[in-house]
Amino acid sequence: MNRYLLLTLFCVFSFSGRIFAQARISASNQNYISVSTSKDQTIANTFQIQLDVLGFNRNYPDWSLGMILLQPITNSEGKTFPFNKLKLKLSAVNGTTFAQIGSGTVPVPISAPGVRSMMITSSNYPLSTGFFGFYDIIVFKVDLIIEGGTYMDALKSWQAYALNMAFVLLDRNGNELGRSSAVNGMQVRPDGSYQSPVSYGIQVQDNARSALLELKTMSDYANGASVSYANGLSVTAATPFAVQVRMGSANFSSGRNALPVSVANVNLSPSTGGTGGSIQLSETSQTILNGGSITGSSQVYRYNLRYFTTANDARLINAVPESYTGIVIYEVIPQ
């Protein structure tokens, strides 16, 4: 008798391993920042940001992209570049389009160190591999926009400023999926062309500092009184400006007696001709005129100054005859 022994072997093959399926972000510096003028300027491709995800059927909808300045923008000389003069702008994207994302093309001001600003909020385009995919990637180029101004003159240095930025990828609930930082050097070259800081000033000339407006005759009450000072006020500026006037208190005073400051008026007119302005005095600041223009250096503008009352003001007619005093304050406001 023949006997057969049949052995059936069930072979089970087991594979083990880990597939990274978390969305990732990586940032790098690209173009060194060299400043040589105090005009507005854009440094193209200052940073690059890469978003990617590995794994089958991975999906991150409504993701957001933020940025954080990690530290003050200083150099080895102890100078600090003002962060509020800088903006970042996503200038180009590969892997999708800004239209599909739905945002991302507006320059975003850099906030104070440690404060997050959003470059993209709730993207319409998901970071996704799909059911049959395994890898998805989006790459952004980031431009730096520098606001010009005379402030740069004091920041000139051969020592580079460190622009240390962190870029943060967030999920639809605002949780961090990842962050990556990159440091770029920024040099404000001493051999560049910069505007010196502009000085502004306003001054009441000596003969007008103690103005005296007298009402001595019936004609002064009936027709109004006035006093004038040629070139009584001067303004120094290199840009357009406004001149504002206010009183130090609501009343002219004389011991226990008082008169509202609105009984008097002031007029300014350019010494070289042109349009001036008049206002009724008040404790509240008022713009009496606008002047000046953009020039390469500070210019001096001179104005004739006149104080006057109006005709038949009952407040003056019925006032106790005394010597009343008040303080007039002039201010120049750059425009």
Side-chain angles (χ1 to χ4, degrees):
M1 179 185 224
N2 295 323
R3 294 192 306 167
Y4 295 91
L5 179 62
L6 181 64
L7 299 179
T8 302
L9 302 179
F10 294 92
C11 297
V12 178
F13 297 90
S14 175
F15 294 92
S16 64
R18 297 178 64 190
I19 298 177
F20 188 86
Q22 174 74 39
R24 300 179 299 181
I25 181 172
S26 59
S28 60
N29 61 339
Q30 297 291 307
N31 190 11
Y32 186 77
I33 307 162
S34 181
V35 178
S36 59
T37 175
S38 46
K39 297 179 180 179
D40 293 353
Q41 56 198 294
T42 297
I43 310 298
N45 196 22
T46 304
F47 295 102
Q48 181 172 288
I49 304 170
Q50 178 174 311
L51 311 180
D52 59 59
V53 61
L54 289 169
F56 294 110
N57 199 27
R58 307 307 302 177
N59 187 40
Y60 295 90
D62 305 322
W63 54 267
S64 298
L65 178 65
M67 64 176 182
I68 304 171
L69 178 64
L70 294 179
Q71 62 189 43
I73 309 168
T74 58
N75 69 2
S76 61
E77 293 181 354
K79 294 182 177 181
T80 300
F81 197 99
F83 64 85
N84 59 351
K85 301 295 185 182
L86 302 177
K87 297 178 182 179
L88 291 183
K89 179 181 183 295
L90 300 176
S91 59
V93 59
N94 289 320
T96 181
T97 66
F98 287 119
Q100 289 176 314
I101 291 172
S103 65
T105 59
V106 177
V108 179
I110 293 178
S111 298
V115 178
R116 188 173 69 200
S117 300
M118 300 308 299
M119 306 180 79
I120 293 174
T121 301
S122 191
S123 169
N124 295 331
Y125 181 87
L127 188 60
S128 173
T129 57
F131 188 78
F132 297 104
F134 185 75
Y135 184 62
D136 191 26
I137 182 172
I138 301 173
V139 179
F140 296 99
K141 290 184 178 180
V142 184
D143 294 350
L144 175 69
I145 299 173
I146 305 174
E147 178 184 332
T150 55
Y151 72 93
M152 288 189 186
D153 186 69
L155 299 174
K156 295 181 295 188
S157 175
W158 290 117
Q159 305 304 313
Y161 295 84
L163 181 58
N164 189 355
M165 300 297 304
F167 299 94
V168 185
L169 178 62
L170 307 168
D171 67 13
R172 66 192 312 170
N173 297 314
N175 301 312
E176 275 198 25
L177 294 171
R179 70 164 57 195
S180 180
S181 60
V183 182
N184 210 330
M186 179 169 61
Q187 189 176 64
V188 184
R189 297 177 59 88
D191 58 357
S193 176
Y194 305 94
Q195 294 179 347
S196 298
V198 176
S199 61
Y200 291 88
I202 189 167
Q203 184 176 19
V204 178
Q205 302 305 313
D206 291 342
N207 63 336
R209 288 188 178 180
S210 296
L212 181 61
L213 182 57
E214 295 182 287
L215 289 85
K216 298 186 294 185
T217 68
M218 289 301 298
S219 177
D220 293 333
Y221 290 94
N223 302 312
S226 69
V227 60
S228 298
Y229 300 93
N231 298 320
L233 186 79
S234 64
V235 175
T236 302
T239 66
F241 59 86
V243 175
Q244 294 187 344
V245 185
R246 61 184 173 90
M247 294 297 294
S249 61
N251 297 298
F252 292 107
S253 60
S254 175
R256 295 183 179 181
N257 299 314
L259 278 171
V261 295
S262 58
V263 300
N265 304 267
V266 61
N267 171 268
L268 287 178
S269 60
S271 300
T272 55
T275 304
S278 297
I279 61 165
Q280 188 178 60
L281 291 176
S282 169
E283 192 178 15
T284 302
S285 290
Q286 303 175 80
T287 297
I288 188 170
L289 61 80
N290 294 280
S293 60
I294 297 176
T295 58
S297 58
S298 297
Q299 307 293 316
V300 178
Y301 302 86
R302 303 186 190 281
Y303 297 92
N304 298 322
L305 177 59
R306 182 170 73 95
Y307 297 101
F308 63 98
T309 63
T310 56
N312 295 312
D313 189 330
R315 296 172 296 177
L316 293 172
I317 294 172
N318 297 322
V320 176
E322 292 282 359
S323 178
Y324 296 85
T325 61
I327 297 175
V328 189
I329 301 169
Y330 293 90
E331 299 172 296
V332 59
I333 310 297
Q335 301 294 290

